Amino acid sequence: MASKLSFTCIPELPLSIEKFPKPHQRIHLVPLPPPNFSPLCSSLKNNNNSSWRRLSVHALKQEVIQSPNSDSTLDSKAAFPASSKLVLVVGASGGVGQLVVASLLNRNIKSRLLLRDPEKATTLFGNQDEETLQVYKGDTRNPGDLDPFIFEGVTHVICCTGTTAFPSKRWDGDNTPERVDWEGIRNLISALPSSLKRVVLVSSVGVTKFNELPWSIMNLFGVLKYKKKGEDFLRDSGLPFTIIRAGRLTDGPYTSYDLNTLIKATAGQRRAVLIGQGDKLVGEVSRLVVAEACIQALDIDFTKGKVYEINSVEGDGPGSDPQKWQELFKAAEFK
């Protein structure tokens, strides 16, 4: 069942996490200093323990703003007025999900995360006020975790869950395409309230061609077939949806065991965006571009009930300009 978390930890200190209490009981993450800790210790940057590599939304913003190869998609938080949205992000610790959450926070959009491992929220996004960021423990593969209490007040959902197409370490613990991309999506969609204004689902190009070469090779273990089943379940749910079919994902942060890659997120020279329909695009796409497309689609009314594929290529892109994104989505309908 779901457990709500409240973050009260002190930055730059490793966490001592208590076992999860009874369902729905709030958990406080309280830091403890390491042995022989000294505030003047200069070994922080050399420590290999990931708990010392405390990352924050500010760190991501600075990278995206200041990197010469950056999209400059995240501007000063003060540039965005407070939003009435409450966006549930599912898969927030993955490559695209991390960028979605950081960008929502930067936009003053209240976020709620559903994570199998809630400890990652503090590691990735630093200390956030509960009015800004809420975290719940839950696994979409387990219907019992998706208590209606999790969805109270949620206005929009962005789902970025996924696993690898071929057997890998990420399949450990029954984390296969069938369990994640089909059963997990089915469970999530079944639990969502009908009051939602939009559900954005990140899927993949090629899902309609999984029996054709070369897509059949990618689909050897069913990933495209199961993603299509998840798409179809969302289409038939009656919920207002937008589906973003991404090309091969490139650029950090990579979904890896080194969360420090979050700070290196840039789109390099591939900032221009291609959007199509009909599952015709073939290519690559920056994770930054996919994350931005998901957020932009929330507010573009005509994307409701539509499916788009997305690539990124060399050139100047739309950044976070709503008008440019609206034009890109609209142009896709006339191709």
Side-chain angles (χ1 to χ4, degrees):
M1 301 294 287
S3 297
K4 187 175 181 181
L5 296 101
S6 176
F7 297 100
T8 58
C9 56
I10 302 172
E12 302 298 340
L13 295 182
L15 300 176
S16 175
I17 311 297
E18 297 182 1
K19 292 183 179 179
F20 286 106
K22 296 179 180 180
H24 302 173
Q25 184 174 339
R26 182 175 298 175
I27 302 165
H28 298 271
L29 306 184
V30 182
L32 294 175
N36 303 320
F37 172 76
S38 168
L40 299 178
C41 179
S42 62
S43 63
L44 183 67
K45 63 182 179 181
N46 298 319
N47 194 308
N48 290 324
N49 189 323
S50 62
S51 64
W52 282 96
R53 302 183 208 154
R54 184 72 61 201
L55 301 175
S56 66
V57 177
H58 177 72
L60 174 60
K61 287 193 292 181
Q62 292 303 309
E63 170 66 20
V64 176
I65 292 169
Q66 297 177 3
S67 168
N69 294 325
S70 164
D71 283 9
S72 298
T73 50
L74 300 182
D75 304 314
S76 170
K77 189 172 182 178
F80 295 94
S83 171
S84 60
K85 294 187 185 74
L86 172 53
V87 181
L88 175 70
V89 184
V90 187
S93 63
V96 172
Q98 294 172 30
L99 293 165
V100 167
V101 175
S103 190
L104 288 171
L105 293 173
N106 186 66
R107 284 167 154 90
N108 282 324
I109 297 175
K110 188 174 180 179
S111 304
R112 183 176 293 173
L113 314 185
L114 182 65
L115 291 172
R116 300 177 194 174
D117 180 4
E119 181 184 349
K120 288 184 177 179
T122 304
T123 306
L124 288 168
F125 309 115
N127 300 312
Q128 301 292 329
D129 187 273
E130 190 176 342
E131 288 301 309
T132 301
L133 182 68
Q134 303 167 355
V135 181
Y136 292 79
K137 178 178 171 61
D139 187 336
T140 59
R141 299 172 302 175
N142 179 11
D145 283 3
L146 303 177
D147 194 294
F149 149 81
I150 294 173
F151 309 108
E152 290 180 2
V154 171
T155 58
H156 301 75
V157 175
I158 297 176
C159 181
C160 313
T161 56
T163 187
T164 55
F166 299 97
S168 70
K169 186 175 178 61
R170 286 185 61 195
W171 281 28
D172 291 355
D174 202 20
N175 200 48
T176 63
E178 181 176 12
R179 294 283 283 130
V180 175
D181 294 304
W182 165 228
E183 295 178 17
I185 296 300
R186 180 190 63 197
N187 295 337
L188 175 66
I189 298 304
S190 298
L192 293 177
S194 59
S195 59
L196 291 173
K197 296 182 179 179
R198 191 72 60 90
V199 179
V200 176
L201 173 66
V202 178
S203 185
S204 172
V205 298
V207 294
T208 66
K209 307 172 184 178
F210 60 81
N211 286 323
E212 306 172 16
L213 285 171
W215 306 106
S216 57
I217 298 174
M218 179 64 68
N219 191 56
L220 282 174
F221 294 89
V223 66
L224 296 178
K225 178 183 72 174
Y226 292 125
K227 284 184 179 293
K228 183 61 165 60
K229 291 183 70 171
E231 284 189 14
D232 291 343
F233 195 84
L234 176 56
R235 285 172 180 262
D236 296 338
S237 69
L239 294 170
F241 71 87
T242 303
I243 296 171
I244 304 293
R245 291 173 175 164
R248 188 179 74 85
L249 294 170
T250 65
D251 307 317
Y254 301 97
T255 307
S256 71
Y257 299 102
D258 178 12
L259 295 176
N260 195 43
T261 53
L262 176 61
I263 202 171
K264 300 176 182 177
T266 70
Q269 301 302 314
R270 302 171 65 87
R271 299 185 299 273
V273 177
L274 300 178
I275 298 180
Q277 289 187 305
D279 206 4
K280 298 174 183 177
L281 284 185
V282 179
E284 301 177 337
V285 61
S286 165
R287 286 172 170 83
L288 281 166
V289 168
V290 177
E292 188 64 28
C294 291
I295 294 172
Q296 293 288 342
L298 297 177
D299 292 319
I300 302 177
D301 188 65
F302 65 78
T303 64
K304 183 170 64 176
K306 304 288 180 60
V307 182
Y308 302 91
E309 58 261 24
I310 186 166
N311 286 347
S312 54
V313 296
E314 290 190 7
D316 292 329
S320 59
D321 187 322
Q323 182 60 39
K324 291 180 179 178
W325 277 98
Q326 182 166 319
E327 292 169 359
L328 284 166
F329 278 114
K330 179 62 70 175
E333 301 183 2
F334 295 98
K335 292 180 179 179

